[in-house]
Amino acid sequence: MIVLVYVGVAVVLASAAGMLRSRALLTRLHLLSPAGTFGAPLIGAGLAIGNGWHLGTAAIVLTVVLLAVTGPVLQSATARLVANSEGLLDEELPS
């Protein structure tokens, strides 16, 4: 259980370190995606297993599920908005 937390924290720290080195916004979004889709669920699973099953664990699981579901959608929408504002999208293609 504690191994899951350590692996999740390592993923989040590696993503943050990569993001700090990058200059372009789209690259930063790409490098931060593992933190929300892989690191956070690992940390949440480790905390849920370590705490046992009670109301606090339900809150942890709910938070992790919401983050895992909404994170990629928000990153994709942000990337599309930036690409559209920088003129990287073809206007004739369907969205």
Side-chain angles (χ1 to χ4, degrees):
M1 76 186 135
I2 196 75
V3 173
L4 292 174
V5 175
Y6 284 138
V7 171
V9 168
V11 169
V12 170
L13 289 176
S15 292
M19 189 270 313
L20 289 174
R21 293 185 47 116
S22 175
R23 301 246 184 230
L25 180 64
L26 293 176
T27 307
R28 286 182 177 187
L29 283 172
H30 177 71
L31 291 172
L32 281 178
S33 63
T37 58
F38 188 61
L42 283 175
I43 294 171
L47 292 176
I49 292 170
N51 285 336
W53 295 105
H54 51 77
L55 190 58
T57 306
I60 291 171
V61 170
L62 179 64
T63 302
V64 168
V65 167
L66 286 174
L67 182 62
V69 170
T70 60
V73 174
L74 290 173
Q75 289 173 354
S76 176
T78 304
R80 183 156 181 88
L81 179 70
V82 169
N84 192 22
S85 68
E86 292 180 359
L88 299 174
L89 294 179
D90 189 7
E91 296 294 329
E92 296 177 5
L93 294 175
S95 24

